[in-house]
């Protein structure tokens, strides 16, 4: 999943757009998605899907799969929201169902905004934006190293799993548990060995306790995108104001 997100962020049609503009746009929409009413939140979801699939040219299968897969975590929490335990019996709670629906709309809107940002902006550009916002360099270096470490971890785990399967491992439930335990123990040792190799590589290339980030570069945002952003935000704000006004009437 992480490799898919990384490849999509580098291969989409909005990659060249200003990452600072995309971050600002996503921040405004995220705040609006958090405080708005469910109808406005659903409009935000539809709009973000249009940006992801229409403007960024990301395949609809990947976009919907990532969004739907993330919703599974919400489904796991549904029993605690909609079930009511009273006098030793379990029943559906109307208030819990209404609360679950409201939370689902909010979660879906916030997720769609976050996916718009991470699917259209490479991680390196996000670090450049954070550096421009005066985030401490130590924090950025830790994020960069951790991000790189995740790929090392996944590649090592995959190679070890394939090697075990090639030797007849992971056959039967008991053998799967035993082989998985061996994989986890050896995975940490092998990953740390590869991480030391990465550290030695940095030192051999003149690492001086500071990783230099690439300079911030971005193409200007096209007039079409700026116009669509302004019109869309205006419509969403007007819709939210109208819903609030109707609520207090």
């Amino acid at each position: 999943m992480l490799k898919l997100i990384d490849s999509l962020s580098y291969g989409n049609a909005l990659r060249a757009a200003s990452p600072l503009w995309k971050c600002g746009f996503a921040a405004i929409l995220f705040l609006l998605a958090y405080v708005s009413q469910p109808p406005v939140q659903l409009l935000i979801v539809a709009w973000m899907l249009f940006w992801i699939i229409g403007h960024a040219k990301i395949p609809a299968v990947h976009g919907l799969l990532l969004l739907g897969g993330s919703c599974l975590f919400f489904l796991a929490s549904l029993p605690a929201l909609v079930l009511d335990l009273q006098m030793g019996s379990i029943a559906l709670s109307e208030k819990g169902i209404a609360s679950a629906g409201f939370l689902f709309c909010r979660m879906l809107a916030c997720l769609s905004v976050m996916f718009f940002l991470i699917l259209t902006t490479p991680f390196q550009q996000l670090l450049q934006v954070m550096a421009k916002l005066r985030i401490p360099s130590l924090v950025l270096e830790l994020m960069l190293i951790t991000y790189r470490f995740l790929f090392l971890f996944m590649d090592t785990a995959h190679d070890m799993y394939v090697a075990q399967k090639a030797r007849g491992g992971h056959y039967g439930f008991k053998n799967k548990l035993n082989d998985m335990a061996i994989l986890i123990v050896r995975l940490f040792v092998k990953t740390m060995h590869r991480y030391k190799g990465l550290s030695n590589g940095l030192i051999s290339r003149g690492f001086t306790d500071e990783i230099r980030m690439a300079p911030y570069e971005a193409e200007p945002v096209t007039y079409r995108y700026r116009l669509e952003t302004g019109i869309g935000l205006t419509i969403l704000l007007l819709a939210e104001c109208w819903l609030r006004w109707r609520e207090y009437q």
Side-chain angles (χ1 to χ4, degrees):
M1 188 68 71
L2 183 59
K3 288 186 177 181
L4 175 62
I5 294 175
D6 190 68
S7 63
L8 291 175
S9 67
Y10 278 96
N12 70 90
L14 290 178
R15 180 194 172 187
S18 170
L20 188 60
W21 173 81
K22 286 184 287 188
C23 289
F25 179 43
I28 295 173
L29 277 178
F30 190 87
L31 181 61
L32 183 60
Y34 187 80
V35 301
S36 60
Q37 299 290 329
V40 177
Q41 293 170 343
L42 295 178
L43 286 177
I44 292 175
V45 174
W47 196 27
M48 288 295 94
L49 288 176
F50 176 75
W51 275 90
I52 293 173
I53 300 172
H55 290 325
K57 307 299 181 184
I58 292 175
V61 175
H62 294 325
L64 296 176
L65 179 63
L66 291 171
L67 191 61
S70 302
C71 292
L72 295 178
F73 293 97
F74 177 79
L75 294 178
S77 65
L78 272 182
L81 294 173
V82 302
L83 297 181
D84 190 14
L85 182 61
Q86 293 181 350
M87 303 294 293
S89 62
I90 300 177
L92 291 176
S93 170
E94 294 184 3
K95 184 178 180 181
I97 294 175
S99 177
F102 182 80
L103 290 176
F104 178 75
C105 291
R106 175 182 290 177
M107 178 272 301
L108 198 62
C110 293
L111 267 179
S112 63
V113 174
M114 292 304 301
F115 274 123
F116 162 76
L117 181 61
I118 65 175
L119 291 177
T120 60
T121 311
F123 186 74
Q124 186 67 32
Q125 291 184 353
L126 292 177
L127 292 179
Q128 293 173 356
V129 172
M130 287 186 279
K132 199 174 183 65
L133 296 176
R134 300 293 189 270
I135 302 297
S137 59
L138 178 60
V139 176
L140 300 181
E141 291 172 8
L142 289 174
M143 293 177 64
L144 179 62
I145 293 174
T146 302
Y147 189 71
R148 173 59 179 163
F149 186 76
L150 289 176
F151 286 95
L152 289 176
F153 188 84
M154 289 190 303
D155 290 340
T156 304
H158 178 264
D159 293 342
M160 293 180 65
Y161 177 78
V162 171
Q164 285 185 338
K165 288 282 288 185
R167 293 177 174 86
H170 296 275
Y171 180 76
F173 180 74
K174 184 177 180 180
N175 289 333
K176 281 185 178 180
L177 293 179
N178 184 49
D179 293 336
M180 189 60 65
I182 296 175
L183 187 147
I184 293 173
V185 172
R186 294 180 178 176
L187 178 62
F188 178 77
V189 177
K190 194 168 183 178
T191 304
M192 290 305 299
H193 178 72
R194 292 190 63 179
Y195 179 72
K196 288 181 181 179
L198 176 62
S199 300
N200 293 334
L202 287 173
I203 295 174
S204 65
R205 290 172 174 84
F207 177 66
T208 57
D209 296 333
E210 182 180 359
I211 300 177
R212 297 288 182 178
M213 300 292 173
Y216 177 83
E217 295 181 359
E219 296 182 3
V221 181
T222 62
Y223 175 76
R224 174 192 173 186
Y225 290 158
R226 287 188 282 114
L227 179 63
E228 183 177 338
T229 301
I231 294 175
L233 288 175
T234 302
I235 293 174
L236 290 174
L237 289 174
L238 289 176
E240 178 64 20
C241 292
W242 181 70
L243 289 173
R244 296 281 183 179
W245 177 77
R246 285 193 58 185
E247 183 180 353
Y248 290 108
Q249 290 300 314

